[in-house]
Amino acid sequence: MTTKELRIGLIGGGRIGKLHGRNINTSVPGARVLCLAETMLNDEHKAWADDVGIPKVTEDPGDILNNRDIDAVFICSPTDTHADFIIQAARKGKHVFCEKPVHTDIQKIKAALAEVDKAGVKLQVGFVRRFDHNHRKVRDTVASGILGKPHIVKITSRDPEGPSLDYIAVSGGIFMDMTIHDFDMARYLAGSEVTEVMAYGAVNIDPGYRKYGDVDTAAVMLKFENGALALIDNSRAAHYGYDQRTEVHCDKGCVQAVNDLNDTSMISAAEGVLCAKPTWFFLERYNNAFIAEVIDFVDAVNNDKKPPVDGNDGMMAVYIAIAAGKSLKENRPVTLGEVMA
Amino acid sequence: MTTKELRIGLIGGGRIGKLHGRNINTSVPGARVLCLAETMLNDEHKAWADDVGIPKVTEDPGDILNNRDIDAVFICSPTDTHADFIIQAARKGKHVFCEKPVHTDIQKIKAALAEVDKAGVKLQVGFVRRFDHNHRKVRDTVASGILGKPHIVKITSRDPEGPSLDYIAVSGGIFMDMTIHDFDMARYLAGSEVTEVMAYGAVNIDPGYRKYGDVDTAAVMLKFENGALALIDNSRAAHYGYDQRTEVHCDKGCVQAVNDLNDTSMISAAEGVLCAKPTWFFLERYNNAFIAEVIDFVDAVNNDKKPPVDGNDGMMAVYIAIAAGKSLKENRPVTLGEVMA
Amino acid sequence: MTTKELRIGLIGGGRIGKLHGRNINTSVPGARVLCLAETMLNDEHKAWADDVGIPKVTEDPGDILNNRDIDAVFICSPTDTHADFIIQAARKGKHVFCEKPVHTDIQKIKAALAEVDKAGVKLQVGFVRRFDHNHRKVRDTVASGILGKPHIVKITSRDPEGPSLDYIAVSGGIFMDMTIHDFDMARYLAGSEVTEVMAYGAVNIDPGYRKYGDVDTAAVMLKFENGALALIDNSRAAHYGYDQRTEVHCDKGCVQAVNDLNDTSMISAAEGVLCAKPTWFFLERYNNAFIAEVIDFVDAVNNDKKPPVDGNDGMMAVYIAIAAGKSLKENRPVTLGEVMA
Amino acid sequence: MTTKELRIGLIGGGRIGKLHGRNINTSVPGARVLCLAETMLNDEHKAWADDVGIPKVTEDPGDILNNRDIDAVFICSPTDTHADFIIQAARKGKHVFCEKPVHTDIQKIKAALAEVDKAGVKLQVGFVRRFDHNHRKVRDTVASGILGKPHIVKITSRDPEGPSLDYIAVSGGIFMDMTIHDFDMARYLAGSEVTEVMAYGAVNIDPGYRKYGDVDTAAVMLKFENGALALIDNSRAAHYGYDQRTEVHCDKGCVQAVNDLNDTSMISAAEGVLCAKPTWFFLERYNNAFIAEVIDFVDAVNNDKKPPVDGNDGMMAVYIAIAAGKSLKENRPVTLGEVMA
């Protein structure tokens, strides 16, 4: 393994950008963020950069893209800018870590992946849940083959609270914004490609979702090439905490993982037995996974390995999300073939 | 409460008939089986009847239906005989406990229910899982309203081993034979009527299922009048034991129940931590529920109450099973309206 | 295996006598209670006997002891009558099932065991917890040797509510009345004999215990011949239910068992996660164990096997209880040798 | 809250010193290690210091004690040097974080505490388990009073593997080296002072312990001023991982916490149900607690608060360990009064 430090430029100083920035500078050996580019730069960004040891801040992403001292770019800006930044970074020979989804427009994604290919740089997409200790154990068990072929994949994914309706207006809909993680997880767990999608949705929590043609509750079934079936359920309101469970039923048995809890306590009294709640949201549940995915990205770049989640993974999840949206709208099963044509 | 003993005639001496017969004579106060009618009567039936204290056995169900000392009939014969026996029993003024499904032919069911109505006798259908302590706790929590309106219903139902292919040939298909329990459970948990069904199926375990147009793995989604969505998954092969779990996610929280286990042991060693398996099959998991449903039936008869699972419940589950079969065949969502028309 | 029915006489119609009587007549194949002898016989006893199918009731235990049609006697009368009834039954050639403790007076026990030996009848003592599915799994795991030699035995045993102070006055003290089950369990789990006892006690629940020199909270340590150490904790007030847990830490790992619960439900809400409570008390937790111990007794008698809990087991537990009482009183470790001398 | 950075000198570059050094420089805001003093300094220490950003290393602790730029000292050197370093640091007006045990010699501890008092500096002792999320939840529940008065405290503490016999030779014995954590935990959970100790011990794992008069398996009972009783069990060999469980049974109920696991997976197959093992050892289990205790120390210094574990806490645990050693040796209960006299 090489010991050269990977020099990183961070585009986007929002919640997820800050998360990566802090993680890289405190918990990822062999990598360092040299610059934050944030078009809406303010004092708070500057203070944060200072606190986590990022020496430079700028309003201009070009300061990163054109900086020859920067080896890799983390794209944490709004989704509709992802593809363009990937293209620019690739042309400058920089490796790319891009948050999910790669983009909502398949043609844009294809153009970006082509540029990445041409440049021979690494591209990793931020499907962080693959790096969670629980889901990974489920997947590794399936992949080991000890349980035989997968038959049924189950994913429960519920947020403790929904985003603002302002965000819903621009989110791309529940399948592109939230379920896309589950679509990637389904492919990851099943070890096979999705062939068909059937999506149900409902507005059970906040009537405001209707205004944007979106739903706050969803149930989705998938068919896979290998014969497996998947069932996914989503809710924008699990007031008890982030509910993230996975399960694969196979030929010879079943593997499942439940939530991480705040602690392992149990209080028994006449009124009942009280246990700890799940961790609150993704910062609590997936922080170690966020670190692990970056460690793997650094390893892929420094040691010329295939990134663990690549551009094709990013694109396939978008295809499934598009099919799910079409299925919900037309109330019929939609094949991947239809949307990939 | 009256103390008069309910005198029961048992039609059908197969596995489920014997189960009820033994339970009634050992564990149901205020009821007694006086006669077993089994058209294929053999010595084994006679020995069994003697052992559990049933004084009379016969090959002729008429000996029960025409016996004025018998108050109620348990119909545990093959499904295609159910409706006729209900009709005959009702005409003789006898109360009826009928195993699931009531019948596979809706017209036959309607005729039977009409006769029951006319005679003013009680009819209970054997959806035993409603009486399981775990599922009941889930339903009671939802019904109490403390969690608000249900949004998502999840049911996992997997048998440890499939029946013989001979049985598959006459079973009516997985939805009528196996998932029908889950369709009833979904209505029970959601407290609402199903409006639409989408069914996926696969043959993952035994290619022999294809010969009969059946599947061994199924995933089903339901829509309810109250806006809830349900996801059901079935497998004919859960080699670790009977996998019977239910969950309802609601406005204010989620209630779920997992399997009963053989014991509560945990063995921790360098190789891993080993826990007990779920109970093996329905005899182990639902035996107390089988007793509880009969106690409630006896109570309904003796005290003139509405049976906890009535003829309409029996018919609705059959409608959903028919819609599911149609959905699987035509690969599209099927409304209940379509099949009820 | 012989098929002759074992004819049983039941001495004592209190709570535990009724428990055995009903179990034998409904759930133990090959055995039947023919007669109940209860010196304080009342109408309630008669109605109960009628209900469970015991044809005869009497005030005179002699009606059982002298009845040549009776093969075995269940002694469920007050503790201070146990030894005498054992002796009389043995002299009449009757097998004996005796509730715990055999007696509180070691000389009486020795006399009774000698008579049993001389008569060649079977004697089983009612340490029912050995037949619980959870504790048995712990013991079987240890006995199998897969974890190697036992090092530490842990037993938690807490009643949901204490008995009346009137009962405390005559109970023989917590060690003879309550912990005696744990002393037997400790021997059962460790597979070794106790050599020394150190007992701590406290009155934390009800000051009334002081009046009788008793305690309501206890902690006991035991040393075993095989080098293992045991820790037992008792409370007379676990308001959440019957708390009965066992654990053995061994060379290669640890096996433990926790409580049976009322159901497997989990209710997750903003306020917390609520699970089911343990079963309430011994009738709920150990009913299957009560049946299993009698099935084994019947088997031992009918097939001339050693009873699974014999007279020596009964006596050893009493020795340990005596040593514990002495330890508490004198605040020092007491060897079994001291009290057995 | 002041924003001045706390400048720390680290004495001792062994396992625990490195743990604190790395934590402070990566995960404790407002504090920074400026210097490592290690009398056996080698290249590995230098590389480590460089890696975690400690600018200076030295063989001479005096370089820390005499450095006016250093505000606080972390004492992570061998136990028999603790008291002297505390005294020297206090005389120089430096705050002190001292690893457990403070010292094994009570007179030395008293001298150190007197010097700390005189200097008016802060002293915190490294009983890290108080900062574990699980144990803390147990304690907070008890301290909240919702369960009433504590009756029984149970602590299980087992290491996955014992230290080398070379270490055993100088460890001070199991009670001073290992159980001392549990003695502190018992005081923390019970919220009361220990009055008496009874200790049992055995050599079950490695006969080599006998040579040093030590044991590898221990069971200890404690009495508290408030009437509670405690039971502690220890083993030097829990091959399944670090076994760290606590429980307090109270007037109105019981609170307990079990181990953190590597993940939440469950693999169900015909052979059994396999779950994840506990985290391996203290680095895995208590890393967050190690960070939390230092954050609290920094807060105590910067904001002039009482440290959460003070010198008296450190001394009381040593008294109990001394009493336990005496109890084991003399096989009798030993009061704290005896050893404090």
Side-chain angles (χ1 to χ4, degrees):
Chain A
M1 185 184 290
T2 170
T3 57
K4 183 174 159 294
E5 186 164 78
L6 192 73
R7 296 161 303 177
I8 292 172
L10 175 61
I11 299 178
R15 187 169 59 172
I16 197 75
K18 281 182 189 158
L19 175 68
H20 284 303
R22 181 178 296 278
N23 280 342
I24 293 168
N25 278 10
T26 60
S27 307
V28 177
R32 187 152 298 269
V33 179
L34 295 193
C35 182
L36 162 69
E38 166 56 57
T39 54
M40 320 259 279
L41 194 69
N42 59 29
D43 286 352
E44 194 271 325
H45 290 112
K46 290 173 190 167
W48 171 82
D50 191 53
D51 186 47
V52 302
I54 298 177
K56 190 175 171 202
V57 295
T58 172
E59 291 187 336
D60 180 7
D63 289 349
I64 284 174
L65 296 163
N66 297 315
N67 183 342
R68 305 186 67 169
D69 286 341
I70 286 185
D71 307 307
V73 176
F74 270 59
I75 302 175
C76 303
S77 50
T79 299
D80 58 0
T81 67
H82 286 184
D84 284 345
F85 281 135
I86 294 173
I87 289 168
Q88 293 174 54
R91 286 182 180 162
K92 296 289 184 179
K94 297 188 192 316
H95 304 287
V96 178
F97 182 100
C98 182
E99 265 307 314
K100 48 69 41 182
V102 181
H103 205 279
T104 59
D105 178 337
I106 287 287
Q107 296 316 317
K108 285 276 199 178
I109 297 176
K110 285 186 173 172
L113 299 198
E115 208 68 44
V116 164
D117 255 15
K118 194 169 140 196
V121 296
K122 307 290 181 189
L123 169 62
Q124 183 171 329
V125 177
F127 284 128
V128 65
R129 296 183 193 178
R130 291 192 183 206
F131 300 83
D132 174 66
H133 59 155
N134 298 324
H135 305 316
R136 172 155 280 189
K137 183 65 182 284
V138 172
R139 186 266 187 178
D140 287 352
T141 303
V142 175
S144 77
I146 59 166
L147 295 180
K149 214 166 60 89
H151 295 178
I152 298 169
V153 174
K154 283 172 61 183
I155 299 171
T156 286
S157 176
R158 302 176 192 152
D159 290 349
E161 52 190 5
S164 67
L165 287 179
D166 285 352
Y167 177 82
I168 291 302
V170 300
S171 71
I174 194 168
F175 300 128
M176 192 63 78
D177 177 56
M178 180 176 172
T179 326
I180 196 162
H181 274 298
D182 308 309
F183 295 142
D184 181 66
M185 183 58 66
R187 290 179 67 244
Y188 177 66
L189 296 179
S192 181
E193 292 298 342
V194 169
T195 59
E196 191 180 298
V197 183
M198 178 71 208
Y200 272 1
V203 178
N204 282 322
I205 301 162
D206 183 344
Y209 280 73
R210 288 189 217 282
K211 184 174 162 191
Y212 304 104
D214 204 356
V215 295
D216 53 32
T217 306
V220 181
M221 296 196 302
L222 306 174
K223 283 185 187 167
F224 290 89
E225 284 178 1
N226 66 1
L229 305 175
L231 303 95
I232 298 168
D233 73 274
N234 293 145
S235 169
R236 288 285 196 184
H239 301 298
Y240 48 93
Y242 203 35
D243 198 345
Q244 300 279 303
R245 290 172 278 155
T246 49
E247 174 174 340
V248 185
H249 181 67
C250 302
D251 259 342
K252 296 180 188 165
C254 178
V255 53
Q256 56 186 300
V258 293
N259 294 307
D260 283 341
L261 307 181
N262 288 322
D263 57 65
T264 66
S265 70
M266 185 168 78
I267 303 173
S268 303
E271 296 77 22
V273 175
L274 200 66
C275 295
K277 292 195 292 184
T279 51
W280 176 244
F281 210 169
F282 67 92
L283 288 178
E284 291 78 16
R285 168 67 183 269
Y286 290 132
N287 194 46
N288 287 332
F290 278 109
I291 293 169
E293 70 174 350
V294 179
I295 288 175
D296 272 18
F297 172 69
V298 172
D299 180 46
V301 169
N302 282 347
N303 300 294
D304 195 21
K305 298 179 180 172
K306 187 180 174 310
V309 195
D310 65 13
N312 184 60
D313 291 321
M315 186 168 61
M316 290 310 299
V318 172
Y319 274 131
I320 303 171
I322 291 170
K326 195 174 178 67
S327 171
L328 179 66
K329 196 169 170 192
E330 304 179 8
N331 198 32
R332 65 172 181 89
V334 173
T335 64
L336 265 277
E338 271 189 71
V339 298
M340 292 174 77
Chain B
M1 185 184 291
T2 171
T3 58
K4 183 174 159 293
E5 184 164 80
L6 191 74
R7 297 160 304 176
I8 292 172
L10 175 61
I11 299 179
R15 187 169 58 172
I16 197 75
K18 281 181 186 158
L19 175 68
H20 284 303
R22 180 178 295 277
N23 279 343
I24 293 167
N25 277 11
T26 62
S27 308
V28 178
R32 187 151 299 268
V33 179
L34 295 191
C35 182
L36 163 69
E38 166 56 56
T39 55
M40 320 259 280
L41 195 68
N42 59 30
D43 286 352
E44 194 272 325
H45 290 112
K46 290 173 189 167
W48 172 82
D50 191 52
D51 186 47
V52 302
I54 298 176
K56 190 174 170 202
V57 295
T58 171
E59 290 186 336
D60 181 7
D63 289 349
I64 284 174
L65 295 164
N66 297 315
N67 182 339
R68 306 186 64 169
D69 287 342
I70 285 186
D71 307 307
V73 176
F74 269 59
I75 302 175
C76 303
S77 50
T79 299
D80 60 359
T81 68
H82 286 183
D84 284 346
F85 281 135
I86 293 172
I87 289 168
Q88 292 174 55
R91 285 180 180 163
K92 295 292 185 178
K94 297 189 192 315
H95 304 288
V96 178
F97 182 101
C98 180
E99 265 307 315
K100 48 75 30 185
V102 181
H103 205 279
T104 60
D105 178 337
I106 286 287
Q107 296 316 316
K108 285 277 201 177
I109 297 175
K110 286 185 172 171
L113 300 199
E115 208 69 45
V116 163
D117 254 16
K118 194 168 139 195
V121 296
K122 306 290 181 192
L123 168 63
Q124 183 171 329
V125 178
F127 285 127
V128 64
R129 296 182 194 178
R130 292 192 183 205
F131 300 83
D132 173 67
H133 58 157
N134 298 323
H135 306 316
R136 173 155 281 189
K137 183 64 182 285
V138 173
R139 186 266 187 179
D140 287 354
T141 303
V142 175
S144 77
I146 58 165
L147 295 180
K149 214 168 59 89
H151 295 178
I152 298 170
V153 174
K154 284 173 59 184
I155 300 171
T156 286
S157 176
R158 303 176 192 152
D159 290 349
E161 53 190 4
S164 67
L165 287 179
D166 286 354
Y167 177 82
I168 290 302
V170 301
S171 71
I174 193 168
F175 300 127
M176 193 62 80
D177 178 54
M178 181 176 172
T179 325
I180 196 162
H181 274 298
D182 308 309
F183 295 141
D184 182 65
M185 182 57 65
R187 289 178 68 243
Y188 177 64
L189 296 179
S192 181
E193 291 299 343
V194 170
T195 60
E196 191 180 298
V197 184
M198 178 71 208
Y200 273 180
V203 177
N204 283 321
I205 302 163
D206 184 343
Y209 280 73
R210 288 189 217 282
K211 184 174 162 191
Y212 304 104
D214 203 356
V215 295
D216 53 32
T217 306
V220 181
M221 295 196 300
L222 307 174
K223 282 184 188 169
F224 289 89
E225 284 177 0
N226 65 2
L229 305 175
L231 304 95
I232 299 169
D233 73 273
N234 293 145
S235 169
R236 288 287 196 183
H239 301 297
Y240 48 92
Y242 203 35
D243 198 346
Q244 300 279 301
R245 290 172 278 156
T246 49
E247 175 175 339
V248 185
H249 180 69
C250 302
D251 259 343
K252 296 179 189 167
C254 178
V255 54
Q256 56 186 301
V258 293
N259 294 307
D260 283 341
L261 307 181
N262 288 322
D263 57 65
T264 66
S265 68
M266 185 168 78
I267 303 174
S268 303
E271 296 76 23
V273 174
L274 200 66
C275 295
K277 292 196 292 183
T279 51
W280 177 244
F281 210 170
F282 67 91
L283 289 178
E284 290 80 14
R285 167 68 184 267
Y286 290 132
N287 194 46
N288 287 333
F290 278 111
I291 292 169
E293 71 173 351
V294 179
I295 288 175
D296 272 17
F297 173 71
V298 171
D299 179 46
V301 169
N302 281 349
N303 299 295
D304 195 21
K305 297 179 180 172
K306 187 179 173 311
V309 195
D310 65 14
N312 184 60
D313 292 320
M315 186 167 63
M316 289 311 299
V318 172
Y319 274 130
I320 303 171
I322 291 169
K326 193 175 180 67
S327 171
L328 179 66
K329 197 170 169 191
E330 304 179 7
N331 197 34
R332 65 172 181 89
V334 173
T335 64
L336 263 278
E338 272 189 71
V339 299
M340 292 174 77
Chain C
M1 186 184 290
T2 171
T3 57
K4 184 175 157 293
E5 185 165 78
L6 191 74
R7 297 161 302 178
I8 291 171
L10 175 62
I11 299 178
R15 187 168 59 171
I16 197 75
K18 280 181 188 159
L19 175 69
H20 284 303
R22 181 178 296 275
N23 279 342
I24 293 167
N25 277 11
T26 62
S27 308
V28 178
R32 188 152 298 270
V33 178
L34 295 193
C35 182
L36 163 69
E38 166 56 57
T39 54
M40 321 258 281
L41 195 69
N42 59 30
D43 286 352
E44 194 271 326
H45 289 113
K46 290 173 189 166
W48 172 83
D50 191 51
D51 186 48
V52 302
I54 298 177
K56 191 177 171 199
V57 295
T58 173
E59 291 187 335
D60 181 6
D63 289 349
I64 284 174
L65 295 164
N66 298 315
N67 183 341
R68 304 187 65 169
D69 287 342
I70 286 186
D71 306 308
V73 176
F74 269 58
I75 302 175
C76 303
S77 49
T79 299
D80 60 0
T81 68
H82 285 183
D84 284 346
F85 281 136
I86 294 172
I87 290 168
Q88 291 174 56
R91 284 180 180 163
K92 295 291 184 177
K94 296 188 194 315
H95 305 287
V96 178
F97 181 101
C98 181
E99 264 308 315
K100 49 75 27 184
V102 181
H103 206 279
T104 59
D105 177 337
I106 286 286
Q107 296 315 317
K108 284 278 201 177
I109 298 176
K110 285 185 172 172
L113 300 199
E115 207 69 43
V116 164
D117 254 15
K118 193 168 140 196
V121 296
K122 306 289 181 192
L123 168 63
Q124 182 171 330
V125 177
F127 284 126
V128 64
R129 296 183 193 178
R130 292 192 182 206
F131 300 84
D132 173 67
H133 58 157
N134 298 325
H135 306 316
R136 172 155 283 190
K137 183 63 181 286
V138 173
R139 186 266 189 179
D140 287 353
T141 302
V142 175
S144 76
I146 59 165
L147 295 180
K149 214 166 62 87
H151 295 179
I152 299 169
V153 174
K154 284 172 59 183
I155 300 171
T156 287
S157 176
R158 303 176 192 152
D159 289 350
E161 52 190 5
S164 66
L165 287 179
D166 286 353
Y167 177 81
I168 291 301
V170 301
S171 70
I174 195 168
F175 300 127
M176 192 63 80
D177 177 55
M178 181 176 172
T179 326
I180 197 162
H181 274 298
D182 308 308
F183 295 142
D184 182 64
M185 183 57 66
R187 290 179 67 242
Y188 177 65
L189 296 178
S192 181
E193 292 297 344
V194 170
T195 59
E196 191 179 296
V197 183
M198 178 72 209
Y200 273 179
V203 177
N204 282 321
I205 302 163
D206 184 344
Y209 280 73
R210 289 189 216 282
K211 182 174 161 191
Y212 304 105
D214 204 355
V215 294
D216 52 32
T217 305
V220 181
M221 296 196 301
L222 307 174
K223 283 184 187 168
F224 290 90
E225 283 178 0
N226 65 2
L229 306 174
L231 304 95
I232 299 169
D233 73 272
N234 294 144
S235 169
R236 288 285 196 184
H239 301 297
Y240 49 92
Y242 203 34
D243 198 346
Q244 300 277 302
R245 291 172 278 156
T246 48
E247 174 176 341
V248 185
H249 180 68
C250 302
D251 258 344
K252 295 179 190 167
C254 177
V255 53
Q256 56 185 300
V258 293
N259 293 308
D260 283 341
L261 307 181
N262 288 323
D263 57 64
T264 65
S265 68
M266 185 167 79
I267 303 173
S268 303
E271 296 76 23
V273 175
L274 199 66
C275 295
K277 291 195 292 182
T279 51
W280 177 244
F281 210 170
F282 67 91
L283 289 177
E284 291 79 15
R285 167 69 184 265
Y286 290 131
N287 194 45
N288 287 333
F290 278 111
I291 293 169
E293 71 173 351
V294 178
I295 288 175
D296 272 18
F297 173 70
V298 171
D299 179 46
V301 169
N302 281 349
N303 300 295
D304 194 20
K305 298 178 179 173
K306 186 180 174 312
V309 194
D310 66 13
N312 184 60
D313 292 320
M315 185 167 62
M316 289 310 299
V318 172
Y319 274 131
I320 303 171
I322 292 170
K326 194 174 179 66
S327 171
L328 179 66
K329 197 171 169 191
E330 303 180 8
N331 197 33
R332 65 173 181 90
V334 172
T335 65
L336 263 279
E338 272 189 72
V339 299
M340 292 175 76
Chain D
M1 186 184 289
T2 170
T3 56
K4 183 173 157 295
E5 186 164 77
L6 192 73
R7 297 162 300 176
I8 291 172
L10 175 61
I11 299 178
R15 187 167 61 171
I16 197 74
K18 282 181 188 158
L19 176 67
H20 284 302
R22 181 178 296 276
N23 280 343
I24 293 168
N25 277 11
T26 61
S27 307
V28 177
R32 188 152 298 270
V33 179
L34 295 192
C35 182
L36 162 68
E38 165 56 57
T39 54
M40 321 258 281
L41 194 70
N42 58 29
D43 286 350
E44 196 271 325
H45 290 113
K46 290 172 190 168
W48 172 82
D50 190 53
D51 186 47
V52 303
I54 298 178
K56 190 175 170 201
V57 295
T58 173
E59 290 188 337
D60 180 7
D63 290 348
I64 285 174
L65 297 163
N66 297 316
N67 183 341
R68 305 185 66 167
D69 286 341
I70 286 185
D71 306 307
V73 175
F74 270 59
I75 302 175
C76 302
S77 49
T79 299
D80 58 0
T81 68
H82 286 183
D84 284 345
F85 282 134
I86 294 173
I87 290 168
Q88 293 175 53
R91 286 182 181 163
K92 296 289 184 178
K94 296 186 192 317
H95 304 288
V96 178
F97 182 100
C98 181
E99 266 307 315
K100 49 72 35 184
V102 181
H103 205 280
T104 59
D105 178 337
I106 287 287
Q107 295 317 316
K108 285 275 199 178
I109 298 176
K110 285 185 174 172
L113 300 199
E115 208 68 43
V116 163
D117 254 16
K118 194 168 140 197
V121 296
K122 306 289 182 191
L123 168 64
Q124 182 170 330
V125 177
F127 284 127
V128 64
R129 297 184 192 176
R130 291 192 183 206
F131 300 83
D132 174 67
H133 58 156
N134 298 324
H135 305 317
R136 173 156 280 189
K137 183 65 181 285
V138 172
R139 186 265 188 180
D140 287 353
T141 303
V142 175
S144 77
I146 59 167
L147 295 180
K149 214 166 60 90
H151 295 179
I152 298 169
V153 174
K154 283 173 60 184
I155 300 171
T156 286
S157 176
R158 302 176 192 152
D159 290 348
E161 52 189 5
S164 67
L165 287 179
D166 285 352
Y167 178 82
I168 291 302
V170 300
S171 72
I174 194 167
F175 300 127
M176 193 62 79
D177 177 56
M178 181 176 172
T179 325
I180 196 162
H181 274 299
D182 308 309
F183 295 141
D184 181 65
M185 182 58 65
R187 290 178 67 242
Y188 178 65
L189 296 179
S192 180
E193 293 297 342
V194 170
T195 59
E196 190 180 296
V197 183
M198 177 72 207
Y200 272 0
V203 177
N204 281 322
I205 301 162
D206 184 343
Y209 280 73
R210 288 189 217 283
K211 184 173 160 191
Y212 304 104
D214 203 356
V215 295
D216 52 33
T217 306
V220 181
M221 296 196 301
L222 307 174
K223 282 185 188 169
F224 290 90
E225 282 177 1
N226 65 2
L229 305 175
L231 304 95
I232 299 169
D233 73 272
N234 294 144
S235 169
R236 288 284 196 184
H239 301 297
Y240 48 92
Y242 202 36
D243 198 346
Q244 300 279 303
R245 290 172 277 155
T246 48
E247 174 175 341
V248 185
H249 181 68
C250 302
D251 258 343
K252 296 180 188 167
C254 177
V255 53
Q256 55 186 299
V258 293
N259 294 306
D260 282 340
L261 307 182
N262 287 323
D263 57 65
T264 66
S265 69
M266 185 168 79
I267 303 173
S268 303
E271 297 77 22
V273 175
L274 199 66
C275 295
K277 292 194 291 183
T279 50
W280 176 244
F281 209 169
F282 68 91
L283 289 178
E284 291 78 16
R285 169 67 184 268
Y286 290 131
N287 194 46
N288 287 332
F290 278 111
I291 293 169
E293 70 174 350
V294 179
I295 288 175
D296 273 17
F297 173 69
V298 171
D299 180 45
V301 169
N302 281 348
N303 300 295
D304 194 20
K305 297 179 179 172
K306 186 180 173 310
V309 194
D310 65 13
N312 184 59
D313 292 320
M315 186 168 62
M316 289 310 299
V318 172
Y319 274 130
I320 303 171
I322 291 170
K326 194 174 179 67
S327 170
L328 179 66
K329 196 169 170 193
E330 303 179 8
N331 198 33
R332 65 173 181 87
V334 172
T335 64
L336 264 277
E338 270 189 72
V339 298
M340 292 174 77

